[in-house]
mmCIF file of all heavy atoms in Angstrom:
data_model
loop_
_atom_site.group_PDB
_atom_site.id
_atom_site.type_symbol
_atom_site.label_atom_id
_atom_site.label_comp_id
_atom_site.label_asym_id
_atom_site.label_seq_id
_atom_site.Cartn_x
_atom_site.Cartn_y
_atom_site.Cartn_z
ATOM 1 N N CYS A 15 150.927 40.394 -178.631
ATOM 2 C CA CYS A 15 150.215 41.643 -178.946
ATOM 3 C C CYS A 15 150.032 42.517 -177.709
ATOM 4 O O CYS A 15 149.599 42.044 -176.661
ATOM 5 C CB CYS A 15 148.844 41.338 -179.545
ATOM 6 S SG CYS A 15 148.925 40.689 -181.218
ATOM 7 N N GLN A 16 150.389 43.773 -177.851
ATOM 8 C CA GLN A 16 150.222 44.757 -176.785
ATOM 9 C C GLN A 16 149.227 45.810 -177.280
ATOM 10 O O GLN A 16 149.517 46.517 -178.239
ATOM 11 C CB GLN A 16 151.561 45.438 -176.470
ATOM 12 C CG GLN A 16 152.627 44.512 -175.960
ATOM 13 C CD GLN A 16 152.354 44.048 -174.542
ATOM 14 O OE1 GLN A 16 151.720 44.744 -173.754
ATOM 15 N NE2 GLN A 16 152.819 42.860 -174.224
ATOM 16 N N PRO A 17 148.060 45.909 -176.663
ATOM 17 C CA PRO A 17 147.093 46.919 -177.104
ATOM 18 C C PRO A 17 147.584 48.325 -176.752
ATOM 19 O O PRO A 17 148.430 48.495 -175.871
ATOM 20 C CB PRO A 17 145.835 46.571 -176.315
ATOM 21 C CG PRO A 17 146.332 45.860 -175.107
ATOM 22 C CD PRO A 17 147.592 45.134 -175.528
ATOM 23 N N ALA A 18 147.051 49.318 -177.454
ATOM 24 C CA ALA A 18 147.367 50.701 -177.110
ATOM 25 C C ALA A 18 146.862 50.975 -175.693
ATOM 26 O O ALA A 18 145.805 50.501 -175.288
ATOM 27 C CB ALA A 18 146.711 51.658 -178.099
ATOM 28 N N ILE A 19 147.642 51.720 -174.945
ATOM 29 C CA ILE A 19 147.256 52.114 -173.590
ATOM 30 C C ILE A 19 146.557 53.467 -173.702
ATOM 31 O O ILE A 19 147.086 54.379 -174.330
ATOM 32 C CB ILE A 19 148.503 52.223 -172.685
ATOM 33 C CG1 ILE A 19 149.190 50.861 -172.565
ATOM 34 C CG2 ILE A 19 148.133 52.777 -171.317
ATOM 35 C CD1 ILE A 19 150.576 50.906 -171.965
ATOM 36 N N ILE A 20 145.382 53.582 -173.112
ATOM 37 C CA ILE A 20 144.651 54.850 -173.158
ATOM 38 C C ILE A 20 144.617 55.422 -171.750
ATOM 39 O O ILE A 20 144.087 54.799 -170.821
ATOM 40 C CB ILE A 20 143.236 54.650 -173.718
ATOM 41 C CG1 ILE A 20 143.331 54.108 -175.142
ATOM 42 C CG2 ILE A 20 142.461 55.965 -173.685
ATOM 43 C CD1 ILE A 20 142.030 53.693 -175.758
ATOM 44 N N ALA A 21 145.232 56.590 -171.591
ATOM 45 C CA ALA A 21 145.327 57.239 -170.282
ATOM 46 C C ALA A 21 144.866 58.682 -170.429
ATOM 47 O O ALA A 21 145.535 59.483 -171.074
ATOM 48 C CB ALA A 21 146.763 57.177 -169.765
ATOM 49 N N ASP A 22 143.722 59.013 -169.837
ATOM 50 C CA ASP A 22 143.162 60.361 -169.978
ATOM 51 C C ASP A 22 143.730 61.371 -168.982
ATOM 52 O O ASP A 22 143.699 62.567 -169.236
ATOM 53 C CB ASP A 22 141.632 60.307 -169.837
ATOM 54 C CG ASP A 22 140.981 59.571 -170.997
ATOM 55 O OD1 ASP A 22 141.634 59.411 -172.046
ATOM 56 O OD2 ASP A 22 139.824 59.140 -170.845
ATOM 57 N N THR A 23 144.243 60.877 -167.853
ATOM 58 C CA THR A 23 144.727 61.795 -166.811
ATOM 59 C C THR A 23 146.173 61.457 -166.440
ATOM 60 O O THR A 23 146.633 60.330 -166.707
ATOM 61 C CB THR A 23 143.862 61.658 -165.534
ATOM 62 O OG1 THR A 23 144.057 60.329 -164.997
ATOM 63 C CG2 THR A 23 142.388 61.891 -165.831
ATOM 64 N N PRO A 24 146.861 62.387 -165.788
ATOM 65 C CA PRO A 24 148.226 62.079 -165.337
ATOM 66 C C PRO A 24 148.264 60.867 -164.398
ATOM 67 O O PRO A 24 149.165 60.041 -164.482
ATOM 68 C CB PRO A 24 148.664 63.346 -164.608
ATOM 69 C CG PRO A 24 147.835 64.438 -165.184
ATOM 70 C CD PRO A 24 146.522 63.805 -165.533
ATOM 71 N N GLU A 25 147.263 60.747 -163.529
ATOM 72 C CA GLU A 25 147.215 59.625 -162.596
ATOM 73 C C GLU A 25 147.052 58.307 -163.346
ATOM 74 O O GLU A 25 147.699 57.309 -163.025
ATOM 75 C CB GLU A 25 146.058 59.790 -161.593
ATOM 76 C CG GLU A 25 146.209 60.957 -160.648
ATOM 77 C CD GLU A 25 145.851 62.313 -161.284
ATOM 78 O OE1 GLU A 25 145.187 62.363 -162.341
ATOM 79 O OE2 GLU A 25 146.282 63.338 -160.717
ATOM 80 N N SER A 26 146.176 58.312 -164.351
ATOM 81 C CA SER A 26 145.961 57.111 -165.154
ATOM 82 C C SER A 26 147.228 56.748 -165.924
ATOM 83 O O SER A 26 147.595 55.573 -166.020
ATOM 84 C CB SER A 26 144.801 57.333 -166.121
ATOM 85 O OG SER A 26 144.643 56.214 -166.959
ATOM 86 N N LEU A 27 147.905 57.741 -166.468
ATOM 87 C CA LEU A 27 149.164 57.498 -167.192
ATOM 88 C C LEU A 27 150.175 56.835 -166.263
ATOM 89 O O LEU A 27 150.782 55.821 -166.604
ATOM 90 C CB LEU A 27 149.713 58.808 -167.744
ATOM 91 C CG LEU A 27 151.071 58.724 -168.444
ATOM 92 C CD1 LEU A 27 150.964 57.906 -169.720
ATOM 93 C CD2 LEU A 27 151.591 60.124 -168.753
ATOM 94 N N MET A 28 150.340 57.407 -165.079
ATOM 95 C CA MET A 28 151.308 56.873 -164.116
ATOM 96 C C MET A 28 150.956 55.448 -163.714
ATOM 97 O O MET A 28 151.806 54.558 -163.717
ATOM 98 C CB MET A 28 151.329 57.781 -162.883
ATOM 99 C CG MET A 28 152.216 57.304 -161.803
ATOM 100 S SD MET A 28 153.766 58.107 -161.963
ATOM 101 C CE MET A 28 154.309 58.063 -160.294
ATOM 102 N N THR A 29 149.695 55.217 -163.382
ATOM 103 C CA THR A 29 149.252 53.896 -162.940
ATOM 104 C C THR A 29 149.437 52.850 -164.027
ATOM 105 O O THR A 29 149.965 51.761 -163.785
ATOM 106 C CB THR A 29 147.767 53.939 -162.506
ATOM 107 O OG1 THR A 29 147.635 54.888 -161.452
ATOM 108 C CG2 THR A 29 147.270 52.588 -162.052
ATOM 109 N N GLN A 30 148.998 53.186 -165.247
ATOM 110 C CA GLN A 30 149.062 52.202 -166.325
ATOM 111 C C GLN A 30 150.496 51.913 -166.775
ATOM 112 O O GLN A 30 150.851 50.771 -167.057
ATOM 113 C CB GLN A 30 148.211 52.659 -167.505
ATOM 114 C CG GLN A 30 146.731 52.617 -167.178
ATOM 115 C CD GLN A 30 145.874 52.704 -168.401
ATOM 116 O OE1 GLN A 30 145.942 51.828 -169.254
ATOM 117 N NE2 GLN A 30 145.077 53.755 -168.500
ATOM 118 N N LEU A 31 151.332 52.950 -166.841
ATOM 119 C CA LEU A 31 152.735 52.717 -167.204
ATOM 120 C C LEU A 31 153.444 51.905 -166.125
ATOM 121 O O LEU A 31 154.214 50.989 -166.437
ATOM 122 C CB LEU A 31 153.465 54.032 -167.439
ATOM 123 C CG LEU A 31 153.244 54.692 -168.794
ATOM 124 C CD1 LEU A 31 154.011 56.004 -168.881
ATOM 125 C CD2 LEU A 31 153.651 53.770 -169.930
ATOM 126 N N GLU A 32 153.186 52.229 -164.877
ATOM 127 C CA GLU A 32 153.802 51.486 -163.779
ATOM 128 C C GLU A 32 153.388 50.020 -163.826
ATOM 129 O O GLU A 32 154.220 49.124 -163.697
ATOM 130 C CB GLU A 32 153.376 52.120 -162.448
ATOM 131 C CG GLU A 32 154.152 51.633 -161.260
ATOM 132 C CD GLU A 32 153.768 52.425 -160.010
ATOM 133 O OE1 GLU A 32 152.664 52.192 -159.468
ATOM 134 O OE2 GLU A 32 154.573 53.278 -159.594
ATOM 135 N N SER A 33 152.106 49.776 -164.063
ATOM 136 C CA SER A 33 151.604 48.411 -164.152
ATOM 137 C C SER A 33 152.234 47.676 -165.331
ATOM 138 O O SER A 33 152.656 46.522 -165.206
ATOM 139 C CB SER A 33 150.080 48.430 -164.299
ATOM 140 O OG SER A 33 149.588 47.138 -164.535
ATOM 141 N N LYS A 34 152.316 48.325 -166.477
ATOM 142 C CA LYS A 34 152.887 47.696 -167.677
ATOM 143 C C LYS A 34 154.368 47.386 -167.468
ATOM 144 O O LYS A 34 154.848 46.314 -167.830
ATOM 145 C CB LYS A 34 152.684 48.598 -168.892
ATOM 146 C CG LYS A 34 153.245 48.034 -170.187
ATOM 147 C CD LYS A 34 152.727 46.655 -170.535
ATOM 148 C CE LYS A 34 151.312 46.667 -171.022
ATOM 149 N NZ LYS A 34 150.840 45.317 -171.416
ATOM 150 N N ILE A 35 155.092 48.319 -166.875
ATOM 151 C CA ILE A 35 156.533 48.099 -166.651
ATOM 152 C C ILE A 35 156.739 46.952 -165.661
ATOM 153 O O ILE A 35 157.591 46.088 -165.869
ATOM 154 C CB ILE A 35 157.218 49.401 -166.203
ATOM 155 C CG1 ILE A 35 157.272 50.364 -167.396
ATOM 156 C CG2 ILE A 35 158.620 49.127 -165.661
ATOM 157 C CD1 ILE A 35 157.662 51.790 -167.061
ATOM 158 N N HIS A 36 155.922 46.892 -164.595
ATOM 159 C CA HIS A 36 156.022 45.766 -163.654
ATOM 160 C C HIS A 36 155.744 44.455 -164.383
ATOM 161 O O HIS A 36 156.425 43.455 -164.159
ATOM 162 C CB HIS A 36 155.047 45.918 -162.494
ATOM 163 C CG HIS A 36 155.496 46.883 -161.452
ATOM 164 N ND1 HIS A 36 156.682 46.755 -160.779
ATOM 165 C CD2 HIS A 36 154.917 48.008 -160.964
ATOM 166 C CE1 HIS A 36 156.819 47.745 -159.925
ATOM 167 N NE2 HIS A 36 155.763 48.532 -160.028
ATOM 168 N N GLN A 37 154.741 44.466 -165.255
ATOM 169 C CA GLN A 37 154.398 43.258 -166.004
ATOM 170 C C GLN A 37 155.559 42.844 -166.906
ATOM 171 O O GLN A 37 155.910 41.674 -166.978
ATOM 172 C CB GLN A 37 153.142 43.501 -166.838
ATOM 173 C CG GLN A 37 152.726 42.296 -167.645
ATOM 174 C CD GLN A 37 151.520 42.598 -168.528
ATOM 175 O OE1 GLN A 37 150.968 43.685 -168.498
ATOM 176 N NE2 GLN A 37 151.128 41.623 -169.315
ATOM 177 N N LEU A 38 156.178 43.813 -167.586
ATOM 178 C CA LEU A 38 157.289 43.496 -168.495
ATOM 179 C C LEU A 38 158.503 42.983 -167.741
ATOM 180 O O LEU A 38 159.163 42.045 -168.172
ATOM 181 C CB LEU A 38 157.663 44.725 -169.317
ATOM 182 C CG LEU A 38 156.584 45.237 -170.271
ATOM 183 C CD1 LEU A 38 157.015 46.543 -170.910
ATOM 184 C CD2 LEU A 38 156.234 44.199 -171.318
ATOM 185 N N VAL A 39 158.784 43.595 -166.605
ATOM 186 C CA VAL A 39 159.940 43.172 -165.812
ATOM 187 C C VAL A 39 159.696 41.783 -165.232
ATOM 188 O O VAL A 39 160.599 40.956 -165.163
ATOM 189 C CB VAL A 39 160.238 44.191 -164.692
ATOM 190 C CG1 VAL A 39 161.259 43.660 -163.713
ATOM 191 C CG2 VAL A 39 160.738 45.492 -165.302
ATOM 192 N N ALA A 40 158.461 41.521 -164.819
ATOM 193 C CA ALA A 40 158.139 40.236 -164.201
ATOM 194 C C ALA A 40 157.887 39.150 -165.231
ATOM 195 O O ALA A 40 157.844 37.977 -164.877
ATOM 196 C CB ALA A 40 156.905 40.387 -163.308
ATOM 197 N N ASP A 41 157.734 39.500 -166.505
ATOM 198 C CA ASP A 41 157.417 38.520 -167.539
ATOM 199 C C ASP A 41 158.437 37.391 -167.534
ATOM 200 O O ASP A 41 159.627 37.603 -167.584
ATOM 201 C CB ASP A 41 157.399 39.201 -168.911
ATOM 202 C CG ASP A 41 156.855 38.297 -169.998
ATOM 203 O OD1 ASP A 41 155.959 37.493 -169.694
ATOM 204 O OD2 ASP A 41 157.340 38.399 -171.137
ATOM 205 N N ARG A 42 157.940 36.178 -167.448
ATOM 206 C CA ARG A 42 158.759 34.973 -167.454
ATOM 207 C C ARG A 42 159.708 34.864 -166.260
ATOM 208 O O ARG A 42 160.662 34.113 -166.294
ATOM 209 C CB ARG A 42 159.575 34.881 -168.751
ATOM 210 C CG ARG A 42 158.754 34.508 -169.944
ATOM 211 C CD ARG A 42 158.722 33.022 -170.069
ATOM 212 N NE ARG A 42 157.942 32.654 -171.235
ATOM 213 C CZ ARG A 42 157.188 31.586 -171.290
ATOM 214 N NH1 ARG A 42 157.091 30.793 -170.288
ATOM 215 N NH2 ARG A 42 156.523 31.289 -172.375
ATOM 216 N N LEU A 43 159.425 35.634 -165.194
ATOM 217 C CA LEU A 43 160.273 35.519 -164.022
ATOM 218 C C LEU A 43 159.629 34.667 -162.940
ATOM 219 O O LEU A 43 160.207 34.473 -161.897
ATOM 220 C CB LEU A 43 160.596 36.902 -163.458
ATOM 221 C CG LEU A 43 161.497 37.765 -164.316
ATOM 222 C CD1 LEU A 43 161.748 39.104 -163.624
ATOM 223 C CD2 LEU A 43 162.814 37.079 -164.610
ATOM 224 N N SER A 44 158.441 34.182 -163.180
ATOM 225 C CA SER A 44 157.752 33.377 -162.182
ATOM 226 C C SER A 44 157.939 31.909 -162.517
ATOM 227 O O SER A 44 157.353 31.406 -163.469
ATOM 228 C CB SER A 44 156.265 33.725 -162.156
ATOM 229 O OG SER A 44 156.108 35.068 -161.824
#
């Protein structure tokens, strides 16, 4: 399950998407 991402500002959007993409790329790579 992936909850909806709530980003009110451009900075929040960038930070949260970057974090999510890093998490997805790193998933099962450790």
Side-chain angles (χ1 to χ4, degrees):
C15 288
Q16 298 288 331
I19 298 167
I20 299 172
D22 293 342
T23 65
E25 294 78 17
S26 176
L27 176 66
M28 177 95 153
T29 301
Q30 291 195 62
L31 280 179
E32 192 174 75
S33 173
K34 180 55 74 177
I35 289 168
H36 282 302
Q37 180 183 357
L38 296 174
V39 170
D41 189 34
R42 286 271 181 215
L43 291 181
S44 299

